[in-house]
Amino acid sequence: MPRWFLLALAILCAPACGSVGRTAPDGVFFPTVPVGNAYPAGEIQGMLELRSGCLFVTRPEDRWLLLWPEGYTAREAQGAIEILDEEDDLVAREGDQIRLGGGERRPIEIGGTAEAERYASELTGADIPERCGDLYWLVAP
């Protein structure tokens, strides 16, 4: 992904823009990012998993903390976390195999774990808990 795109995205998504507010049940870290005009054209497939209070898409080789578009919410229903889009349509349910558009950030690509955490924190406007790892997937709406 071009550096100019990431810089533009970071500028558009100043720290005060993202939120973790009341978009998820207590104890669930649910970072959101302001909706932009462009997104990386990647795709990830895996299982939606809640681990240590963080929502990941997991695959056998790795797991990615999901950075959701602003307006998306999480709720608990019948003992599982469900993700709803800005129109309250069901997007995903904990334990389901999912496929998401968007793009990734790996620490090695942006200068190490501390830089990856800084990147995600700037996009979301929230401190990323250490328990949530250092691989981030920016979910396209």
Side-chain angles (χ1 to χ4, degrees):
M1 180 178 331
R3 284 196 177 274
W4 65 265
F5 176 79
L6 293 176
L7 180 59
L9 190 59
I11 290 169
L12 291 173
C13 302
C17 294
S19 70
V20 289
R22 297 177 186 238
T23 59
D26 286 342
V28 176
F29 181 67
F30 190 78
T32 62
V33 175
V35 175
N37 293 326
Y39 286 84
E43 181 179 88
I44 193 167
Q45 294 182 3
M47 183 173 52
L48 183 63
E49 180 180 355
L50 180 65
R51 185 186 301 177
S52 301
C54 304
L55 280 168
F56 297 100
V57 62
T58 59
R59 305 182 308 177
E61 65 276 10
D62 49 30
R63 67 177 185 191
W64 300 82
L65 177 67
L66 299 168
L67 308 179
W68 298 95
E70 199 165 57
Y72 280 46
T73 58
R75 70 177 180 201
E76 187 170 351
Q78 300 172 345
I81 300 297
E82 294 180 336
I83 310 302
L84 306 172
D85 67 14
E86 67 281 348
E87 297 175 1
D88 288 333
D89 292 327
L90 183 65
V91 172
R93 182 173 167 77
E94 180 185 355
D96 286 352
Q97 290 293 318
I98 60 172
R99 180 173 31 198
L100 299 169
E104 65 182 88
R105 282 285 80 172
R106 292 179 183 264
I108 197 165
E109 295 172 344
I110 55 177
T113 300
E115 285 300 309
E117 184 178 329
R118 187 175 65 78
Y119 157 83
S121 293
E122 286 177 359
L123 284 178
T124 63
D127 291 332
I128 305 297
E130 188 174 315
R131 70 182 187 272
C132 294
D134 59 3
L135 298 176
Y136 308 106
W137 187 268
L138 179 61
V139 177

